[in-house]
Amino acid sequence: MKIDISTDTATICLYDLARLAHRKDDIGDWWSISANEIQEINLGNVVFLNLDEDGMYSVELKIGERFGTSVANLIVESGRLFIGPGEEVSAGGFEPDGSWGGAFVDLPSGNYELTATRD
């Protein structure tokens, strides 16, 4: 599965909305505070892929295949994973619906190891 993403924060995020519901009403840029970002990553709630610059990126999702280096563990609780620009992460009373970019992927609930490579 290939997902095209445009970001103005030089970041791509992957997460299950159920895992970040507690951040929905947090400040809009809660994730730009290192302690907050690290806490949520360590809990398996979100993965942020920091990029060199803003722009258009293409993400190829391969389930069950291992490639690249291990990035983080990610918990999918609801069976629905959001992959999109960092500015779409739950915050400021907002949750993404896909209309501003990114996409939702249905996955079996469980713990996933995310590996990534950049081309």
Side-chain angles (χ1 to χ4, degrees):
M1 167 181 258
K2 186 176 167 187
I3 302 167
D4 291 325
I5 297 171
S6 176
T7 177
D8 291 329
T9 57
T11 306
I12 292 175
C13 62
L14 299 92
Y15 71 103
D16 180 334
L17 273 61
R19 300 294 298 180
L20 285 184
H22 62 282
R23 292 287 188 178
K24 180 182 176 189
D25 294 319
D26 206 336
I27 59 172
D29 61 349
W30 66 262
W31 58 279
S32 67
I33 300 166
S34 294
N36 291 339
E37 178 185 18
I38 291 167
Q39 176 187 18
E40 298 299 348
I41 290 169
N42 286 342
L43 290 171
N45 292 339
V46 65
V47 172
F48 293 104
L49 301 175
N50 296 309
L51 309 166
D52 290 334
E53 58 188 47
D54 297 348
M56 197 68 177
Y57 291 86
S58 203
V59 175
E60 188 173 354
L61 185 65
K62 297 180 180 182
I63 306 298
E65 293 184 40
R66 186 171 179 69
F67 65 99
T69 57
S70 183
V71 175
N73 291 313
L74 188 61
I75 299 170
V76 176
E77 184 177 316
S78 71
R80 196 165 188 229
L81 179 69
F82 176 74
I83 303 172
E87 57 268 29
E88 291 290 304
V89 73
S90 295
F94 169 83
E95 287 187 321
D97 62 9
S99 61
W100 290 92
F104 287 93
V105 178
D106 294 327
L107 293 172
S109 297
N111 296 332
Y112 291 84
E113 179 185 17
L114 178 73
T115 59
T117 188
R118 186 168 178 169
D119 183 7

